[in-house]
Amino acid sequence: MQIVDYRQCAASELEALCYSVFAESENAAEGRMVSKLVGQLISDTPDHDMQGWVAVDDENPAGLVFFSRLRVGERPDIFMLSPLAVATAHQRTGLGQSLVAHALEQLRQEGVSIVTTYGDPAYYRRLGFQPLPQTTLAAPHDLSFPEGWLGLSLTEESVPEVPGDCFCVKAFDDPLYW
């Protein structure tokens, strides 16, 4: 298994991976939604506002993780992890954790200091994420599942209070995702 920059893979392969993972674990509508989101992230997000890595097994994507910039005031060092997808055949092998660990180290080296996500608290807490109160760092939209808003400091300090409105990249700027 090798971890590569997402640009080394065809967007259609990454969209297909997300469709299959989310359609199987949730339903076909969720698969279509996440697949479309990945397509929009890739086509509509400037390179400086997005990063992504793919775990490749025998030249096929086995997992992916994307991070997109959140803008809060003048802070250029906040990114959001989403989506994370691991092919069903590779789930429960530690691939997702390895992929995220690799990505977080890359982001840390590039000066990112805060990473957020909006997802399953039980899973992301195992990766070091902690509940993120809206008073510490507001989400870009109202949250339908507030306990899923989580944060991780990539410095030796805890996530500081970051005042101000939070803005996400265009692909995520839809209340449907929140």
Side-chain angles (χ1 to χ4, degrees):
M1 191 81 56
Q2 175 183 10
I3 297 177
V4 300
D5 185 280
Y6 79 94
R7 290 171 281 231
Q8 294 181 22
C9 300
S12 60
E13 289 181 312
L14 303 181
E15 292 171 39
L17 172 64
C18 286
Y19 176 79
S20 69
V21 168
F22 287 91
E24 211 170 297
S25 68
E26 303 291 329
N27 56 53
E30 187 80 7
R32 285 189 297 275
M33 183 177 75
V34 178
S35 175
K36 178 182 172 188
L37 171 66
V38 166
Q40 288 177 314
L41 277 170
I42 292 170
S43 64
D44 295 346
T45 308
D47 284 345
H48 65 274
D49 284 338
M50 185 178 79
Q51 299 208 29
W53 290 269
V54 179
V56 178
D57 183 29
D58 293 328
E59 298 184 27
N60 296 311
L64 62 77
V65 64
F66 281 97
F67 293 82
S68 57
R69 189 180 310 276
L70 292 178
R71 297 205 185 281
V72 185
E74 299 296 316
R75 301 273 316 242
D77 61 338
I78 304 171
F79 275 73
M80 180 178 69
L81 182 166
S82 187
L84 168 63
V86 176
T88 305
H90 294 280
Q91 290 179 4
R92 302 196 191 303
T93 65
L95 178 60
Q97 291 177 345
S98 295
L99 194 53
V100 171
H102 172 86
L104 292 175
E105 182 54 34
Q106 297 298 309
L107 291 169
R108 183 180 288 111
Q109 290 176 13
E110 294 178 20
V112 173
S113 63
I114 300 171
V115 175
T116 67
T117 194
Y118 185 48
D120 178 7
Y123 180 78
Y124 288 104
R125 285 184 74 114
R126 292 193 314 248
L127 301 176
F129 286 82
Q130 298 297 315
L132 190 57
Q134 293 284 323
T135 54
T136 301
L137 177 62
H141 289 277
D142 290 336
L143 301 174
S144 60
F145 179 61
E147 52 275 3
W149 185 238
L150 306 162
L152 175 68
S153 173
L154 298 185
T155 68
E156 294 181 15
E157 300 173 11
S158 60
V159 175
E161 186 172 312
V162 183
D165 293 332
C166 180
F167 300 94
C168 55
V169 298
K170 181 180 174 186
F172 278 106
D173 200 18
D174 183 337
L176 173 72
Y177 296 124
W178 304 91

